[in-house]
Short mmCIF file of all heavy atoms in Angstrom, two decimals:
data_model
loop_
_atom_site.label_atom_id
_atom_site.label_comp_id
_atom_site.label_asym_id
_atom_site.label_seq_id
_atom_site.Cartn_x
_atom_site.Cartn_y
_atom_site.Cartn_z
N GLU Z 93 -13.38 46.23 9.46
CA GLU Z 93 -12.03 45.93 8.94
C GLU Z 93 -11.39 47.23 8.48
O GLU Z 93 -12.11 48.19 8.18
CB GLU Z 93 -12.14 44.95 7.76
CG GLU Z 93 -12.80 43.62 8.15
CD GLU Z 93 -13.31 42.81 6.95
OE1 GLU Z 93 -12.99 43.17 5.80
OE2 GLU Z 93 -14.03 41.83 7.17
N CYS Z 120 -10.06 47.06 -1.51
CA CYS Z 120 -11.22 46.28 -1.07
C CYS Z 120 -12.14 47.18 -0.25
O CYS Z 120 -13.13 46.71 0.31
CB CYS Z 120 -10.76 45.06 -0.26
SG CYS Z 120 -11.83 43.63 -0.48
N HIS Z 122 -11.79 48.63 2.64
CA HIS Z 122 -11.92 48.40 4.08
C HIS Z 122 -11.85 49.70 4.88
O HIS Z 122 -12.24 49.72 6.04
CB HIS Z 122 -10.87 47.39 4.55
CG HIS Z 122 -11.09 46.01 3.98
ND1 HIS Z 122 -10.34 44.92 4.30
CD2 HIS Z 122 -12.03 45.55 3.10
CE1 HIS Z 122 -10.77 43.86 3.65
NE2 HIS Z 122 -11.79 44.22 2.90
N LEU Z 125 -15.42 50.05 5.06
CA LEU Z 125 -16.02 48.95 5.83
C LEU Z 125 -15.94 49.24 7.33
O LEU Z 125 -16.93 49.17 8.06
CB LEU Z 125 -15.28 47.65 5.47
CG LEU Z 125 -15.99 46.32 5.70
CD1 LEU Z 125 -15.22 45.19 5.06
CD2 LEU Z 125 -16.29 46.01 7.13
N GLU Z 157 -7.97 41.12 7.29
CA GLU Z 157 -8.99 40.29 6.63
C GLU Z 157 -8.44 39.72 5.34
O GLU Z 157 -8.75 38.61 4.95
CB GLU Z 157 -10.26 41.09 6.37
CG GLU Z 157 -11.47 40.24 5.96
CD GLU Z 157 -11.45 39.77 4.51
OE1 GLU Z 157 -10.86 40.45 3.64
OE2 GLU Z 157 -12.02 38.70 4.23
N GLU Z 158 -7.60 40.52 4.67
CA GLU Z 158 -7.10 40.09 3.35
C GLU Z 158 -6.28 38.81 3.45
O GLU Z 158 -6.19 38.07 2.48
CB GLU Z 158 -6.26 41.20 2.70
CG GLU Z 158 -7.05 42.46 2.38
CD GLU Z 158 -8.16 42.23 1.36
OE1 GLU Z 158 -8.22 41.15 0.76
OE2 GLU Z 158 -8.97 43.15 1.17
N HIS Z 182 -19.98 44.78 3.07
CA HIS Z 182 -18.77 44.93 2.27
C HIS Z 182 -19.01 45.91 1.13
O HIS Z 182 -20.05 45.86 0.50
CB HIS Z 182 -18.29 43.58 1.71
CG HIS Z 182 -16.84 43.62 1.36
ND1 HIS Z 182 -16.38 44.28 0.24
CD2 HIS Z 182 -15.76 43.15 2.01
CE1 HIS Z 182 -15.06 44.19 0.23
NE2 HIS Z 182 -14.66 43.52 1.29
N HIS Z 416 -10.19 44.74 -5.42
CA HIS Z 416 -8.74 44.55 -5.54
C HIS Z 416 -8.20 45.13 -6.84
O HIS Z 416 -7.29 44.57 -7.45
CB HIS Z 416 -8.35 43.06 -5.41
CG HIS Z 416 -8.70 42.47 -4.07
ND1 HIS Z 416 -8.07 41.36 -3.56
CD2 HIS Z 416 -9.61 42.84 -3.15
CE1 HIS Z 416 -8.59 41.08 -2.37
NE2 HIS Z 416 -9.53 41.96 -2.11
ZN1 ZN S 517 -12.65 42.95 1.52
#
Side-chain angles (χ1 to χ4, degrees):
E93 300 162 10
C120 213
H122 294 184
L125 203 170
E157 192 283 332
E158 296 297 350
H182 202 285
H416 298 203

